[in-house]
Structure formats: C-alpha cells, structure tokens
C-alpha cells in the first residue's frame, strides 16, 4: 500500500489548530488533528450541497451564490455545473493556504473551476461576508465545519447561533436558501433554524453520492 505523504500544513486564522494536506498516490486528504475534513474520493454529499440548493432557486435567472469554504472544490464545481452561465459565485475561504493548495498540488482535482468567469475567490471569513450584506444572495452554502458547530475554529460557532442565522437571513434575497452541510444530524440546530423563521428541510445524503458511504445531512433553510 502506498503510504500517506504530508504535503503541507497551514494554521487556521483565529485558532491554534493546524490543517494538514496529505497525499497517497492520486488521493488527497485534508485533516485537522485526528479528523479527516475531506477526501477527494468522497465528494458526493458536498456536491449535493450545491445541487439541492440550486433546485430551490432554479427559477432565478441570474443567481448570486455565496459558498463558505473552498475545501477541495466539490461544492464549487457542482454549482458551476447546475447554476447556468449567468450565475455569480463568491467563494469565501478563511485559510489562504487552501486556495494555494487548489492552484498547486491539487490543481488536477480543481481543473479550471477557479478560473471560471462566474467565480470570485475571497480569502476572508464567510461570516464577515454575510454580516456585510443585505438581500445580496439567492443561496448561501456553508461547509466550513463538520456540522453546525465550530470544529475548525471556535469562532465559527457564531455562524450557527441565533444571531448568525438572522444575519444569513438578512443577507438572503426573498425566497433565498441557506444550505448547511453536516457529518450528522443535530436536532438543536434544526430547531434554531425554525426559530429564526426559516422553512426547514433536512436531507440525508451519502458521502459517495452513489448510495454508499457515511450518511451526512444537509439543511435547506428557505427564507419566506
């Protein structure tokens, strides 16, 4: 078996934690401590984050979408496929090294997605983007943790708090959708979304996208 090779490490701003980019042949993994945050062989549920959200706004002619977390680009590439030629997509990535990895060792994984004219990459906390906007987005897609709590850094808790959800609601246009990826269910978060005034649908998806792998969860929270 080919051994894992550590390609690079990166500090997470606002945290003492460190991300590690690992490679084994053509397989890549991004890890935080003992947790594997993503693997390029398990992309199904992250892609579903985009496809399910896009279905909610399919009648919008020129959708504006904010993606929180670049990761390995699964959500971005799926969004580019389903949103059409008039879409505008902002990807907010907190860790600059993740963007560098996308253009460097993982360039083959990303293909030409980062250079698509519809895409703008911002190296900034997605929470800052959300709080600075009002009625700006038709969809906000969050995949910055393993669920609705701050795993990668404690500051991310604010995204899923009552005030964070109200900020997301303000940043959405009428009929817009907040989509949140999670490695598992979280009843408290579902209730918090409803208290914030969203119409909530909780969808179970598989990690591989082909009916196999771990069961993940995506919340689709629609603004009335």
């Amino acid at each position: 078996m080919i051994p894992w090779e550590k390609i690079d490490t990166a500090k997470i701003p606002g945290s003492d934690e460190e991300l590690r980019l690992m490679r084994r042949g053509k397989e890549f993994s991004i890890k935080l401590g003992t947790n594997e945050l993503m693997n390029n062989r398990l992309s199904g549920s992250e892609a579903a984050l985009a496809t399910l959200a896009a279905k909610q706004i399919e009648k919008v002619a020129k959708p504006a979408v904010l993606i929180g977390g670049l990761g390995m680009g699964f959500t971005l590439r799926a969004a580019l496929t389903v949103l059409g030629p008039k879409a505008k997509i902002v990807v907010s990535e907190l860790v600059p090294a993740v963007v560098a990895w996308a253009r460097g060792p993982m360039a083959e994984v990303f293909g030409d997605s980062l250079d698509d004219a519809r895409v703008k990459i911002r190296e900034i906390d997605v929470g800052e983007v959300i709080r600075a906007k009002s009625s700006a987005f038709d969809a906000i897609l969050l995949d910055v943790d393993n669920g609705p709590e701050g795993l990668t850094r404690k500051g991310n808790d604010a995204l899923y708090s009552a005030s964070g959800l109200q900020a997301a609601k303000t940043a959405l246009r009428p009929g817009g959708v907040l989509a949140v990826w999670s490695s598992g269910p979280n009843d408290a978060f579902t209730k918090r979304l409803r208290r914030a005034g969203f119409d909530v649908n909780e969808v179970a998806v598989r990690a591989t996208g082909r009916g196999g792998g771990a069961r993940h969860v995506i919340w689709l929270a629609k603004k009335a």
Side-chain angles (χ1 to χ4, degrees):
M1 180 179 290
I2 302 173
W4 282 103
E5 173 191 5
K6 183 166 70 174
I7 302 300
D8 197 12
T9 62
K11 287 288 187 182
I12 300 172
S15 168
D16 293 329
E17 301 285 357
E18 185 178 74
L19 296 178
R20 304 190 312 281
L21 176 63
M22 310 292 292
R23 180 172 59 197
R24 182 172 62 185
K26 292 187 176 182
E27 181 180 3
F28 289 91
S29 174
I30 295 179
K31 295 186 176 183
L32 175 70
T34 58
N35 293 299
E36 182 175 66
L37 299 182
M38 61 205 74
N39 184 299
N40 65 312
R41 291 188 174 180
L42 300 171
S43 61
S45 60
E46 288 88 349
L49 181 66
T51 56
L52 291 171
K55 187 70 176 175
Q56 300 292 311
I57 58 169
E58 60 185 350
K59 293 183 180 179
V60 179
K62 299 178 181 180
V65 175
L66 171 63
I67 298 176
L70 176 61
M72 292 187 176
F74 307 130
T75 302
L76 171 60
R77 293 194 296 281
L80 287 170
T81 299
V82 298
L83 286 175
K86 296 182 179 179
K88 295 296 182 184
I89 303 171
V90 176
V91 181
S92 178
E93 173 54 55
L94 178 68
V95 184
V98 172
V99 180
W101 296 343
R103 295 191 182 278
M106 290 196 294
E108 187 175 341
V109 174
F110 277 81
D112 60 359
S113 60
L114 298 182
D115 298 318
D116 192 293
R118 294 169 288 174
V119 177
K120 181 178 181 180
I121 306 294
R122 297 192 63 190
E123 295 178 4
I124 187 174
D125 180 356
V126 68
E128 291 186 33
V129 179
I130 291 171
R131 291 189 296 271
K133 299 294 184 179
S134 178
S135 298
F137 301 109
D138 297 292
I140 297 172
L141 317 181
L142 295 182
D143 182 13
V144 296
D145 290 288
N146 266 16
E149 56 187 26
L151 173 67
T152 55
R153 64 174 192 140
K154 197 64 179 173
N156 284 351
D157 281 341
L159 290 170
Y160 317 110
S161 67
S163 61
L165 295 179
Q166 286 298 333
K169 192 176 176 184
T170 298
L172 287 168
R173 294 169 179 166
V177 62
L178 170 66
V180 181
W181 184 94
S182 176
S183 60
N186 187 314
D187 291 340
F189 183 61
T190 302
K191 293 175 183 177
R192 201 151 60 241
L193 283 166
R194 291 194 172 115
R195 284 198 298 268
F198 287 103
D199 295 328
V200 183
N201 186 20
E202 188 176 329
V203 182
V205 291
R206 290 286 197 169
T208 64
R210 298 185 297 274
R215 293 180 183 272
H216 296 160
V217 173
I218 292 171
W219 286 272
L220 299 169
K222 198 157 190 178
K223 178 178 178 177

